[in-house]
Amino acid sequence: MSKKKRIVIALGGNALGNTLPEQMKAVKITAKAIVDLIEEGCEVVVAHGNGPQVGMVNNAMIALTHEDAQQPNTPLSVCVAMSQAYIGYDLQNALREEMLNRGIENIPVATMITQVRVDPEDPAFASPSKPIGKFVSESQAKIMEEKFNYIMKEDSGRGYRRVVASPKPVEIIEIGTIRTMVESGDLVIACGGGGIPVIRQGNHLKGASAVIDKDFASCLLAKELDADFLIILTAVEQVALNFGKPEETWLSDVSVKEAKEYIKEGHFAPGSMLPKVQAAVDFAASKPGRTALITLLEKSRDAIQGKTGTMFHL
């Protein structure tokens, strides 16, 4: 019997919805696409973003401090942990249900609350730029700066938002447990929202006020699990050069060398397609035989078969 292809699939926000009701609907569609890959004979590990969800949790925790003066502010790292758990809850139930609907009864599904270590010297901490939470007025922003020590920045005339650092992931703390679960045949959901950002202080792991990019965390997870494929899901079927311009060109097969040139030429938007392409290149370059794909959720099965998507390889 041939060895199953091991895939780490990185779900974007569009795969999860923006509210609880939206999420419950979205995960059912997402589960179908993931179970399609399992039916193709693949071994799947799921990572996901948490952009809307962690903002919602953070806003709820801030509202709680307004209702109860004795209630301390909730650290962002705890909000990430909360978002991991409730997204994982919906995802694992949807995946389990979809597999049972197809007669797959021997694959347990579990969510691993995952801590990811970051470097306190990462330059991202010196220039926080990742917006989180809702827009507020200038006066509200000043109160939040004074009360919670937040860094607040004006955003394109729409109001002020909290900004935090987005450091690179260095180590997945629970990787040993994740690896054991995957090797035993479990369908594991891990590194939700890029992981809970922590800084090592001796034997203590201290939560950091940061958000780790889920694509970079997924890349590290895929490398640590010796995956064959990293599939990064986004809102387009393929990556494009000159996106949205008359000379727009869609890419189907890209070498690491070519992709690095395209990055240098500035073809990919920072905060949008750029981190996805960077993560894809990182994974594809890490070992011969490793392939990264960027495509739509519903096209993931076709992408694995080489029918669509943008494929990155050495």
Side-chain angles (χ1 to χ4, degrees):
M1 183 178 174
S2 61
K3 180 179 176 289
K4 288 184 175 183
K5 292 176 182 175
R6 180 172 293 176
I7 296 171
V8 170
I9 188 163
L11 301 174
N14 58 330
L16 298 171
N18 292 306
T19 65
L20 282 171
E22 280 184 18
Q23 179 172 296
M24 292 185 76
K25 289 181 181 178
V27 293
K28 289 185 179 295
I29 298 167
T30 300
K32 291 181 187 298
I34 293 170
V35 178
D36 281 347
L37 293 174
I38 293 170
E39 285 192 329
E40 284 291 312
C42 299
E43 189 177 69
V44 181
V45 181
V46 180
H48 60 80
N50 70 343
Q53 294 85 359
V54 75
M56 186 166 58
V57 171
N58 187 60
N59 290 342
M61 293 299 100
I62 290 173
L64 183 59
T65 66
H66 295 157
E67 291 177 11
D68 181 357
Q70 302 303 311
Q71 182 70 36
N73 188 42
T74 305
L76 182 56
S77 56
V78 176
C79 294
V80 174
M82 290 177 175
S83 72
Q84 279 191 1
Y86 92 73
I87 293 169
Y89 162 61
D90 277 348
L91 258 179
Q92 69 188 36
N93 279 350
L95 286 164
R96 179 179 179 276
E97 182 178 341
E98 184 63 27
M99 284 193 291
L100 290 174
N101 287 344
R102 301 193 199 188
I104 303 171
E105 300 180 356
N106 61 341
I107 301 179
V109 190
T111 299
M112 171 59 67
I113 303 303
T114 315
Q115 300 174 95
V116 174
R117 183 171 67 83
V118 296
D119 183 352
E121 300 302 317
D122 190 302
F125 283 108
S127 54
S129 59
K130 186 80 172 179
I132 184 170
K134 64 182 179 180
F135 289 97
V136 297
S137 66
E138 185 176 3
S139 59
Q140 289 172 314
K142 286 180 179 177
I143 292 170
M144 293 171 81
E145 284 177 332
E146 292 169 5
K147 188 174 181 180
F148 303 131
N149 201 30
Y150 284 177
I151 298 171
M152 306 294 293
K153 287 188 179 178
E154 198 274 332
D155 188 343
S156 308
R158 294 180 293 175
Y160 287 75
R161 290 180 83 187
R162 181 188 181 188
V163 291
V164 298
S166 186
K168 293 289 176 62
V170 175
E171 176 190 5
I172 298 168
I173 301 300
E174 288 78 18
I175 191 62
T177 306
I178 295 167
R179 190 180 289 118
T180 298
M181 293 167 72
V182 171
E183 295 288 353
S184 69
D186 292 6
L187 198 175
V188 182
I189 301 160
C191 291
I196 303 162
V198 294
I199 293 168
R200 192 184 299 281
Q201 296 180 337
N203 290 332
H204 175 63
L205 294 173
K206 177 180 172 58
S209 288
V211 174
I212 302 168
D213 186 282
K214 71 102 174 45
D215 296 314
F216 292 133
S218 299
C219 174
L220 179 59
L221 179 64
K223 289 193 287 188
E224 289 288 341
L225 293 176
D226 196 21
D228 301 293
F229 285 89
L230 169 65
I231 304 180
I232 298 174
L233 300 175
T234 186
V236 290
E237 190 167 336
Q238 291 180 310
V239 177
L241 301 180
N242 302 304
F243 182 71
K245 299 177 182 177
E247 62 271 33
E248 180 179 82
T249 305
W250 297 99
L251 302 173
S252 57
D253 188 274
V254 186
S255 71
V256 165
K257 184 179 179 182
E258 289 170 331
K260 286 181 177 178
E261 286 300 316
Y262 296 147
I263 290 170
K264 281 183 185 176
E265 291 167 7
H267 281 286
F268 311 118
S272 177
M273 187 57 76
L274 180 60
K276 292 173 173 57
V277 173
Q278 288 173 324
V281 169
D282 186 356
F283 179 72
S286 63
K287 186 178 178 181
R290 288 179 174 172
T291 302
L293 289 160
I294 298 179
T295 193
L296 283 167
L297 171 69
E298 56 269 29
K299 296 289 184 177
S300 50
R301 176 187 256 180
D302 288 341
I304 282 291
Q305 296 172 347
K307 296 177 182 178
T308 190
T310 302
M311 183 177 290
F312 296 81
H313 54 83
L314 271 176

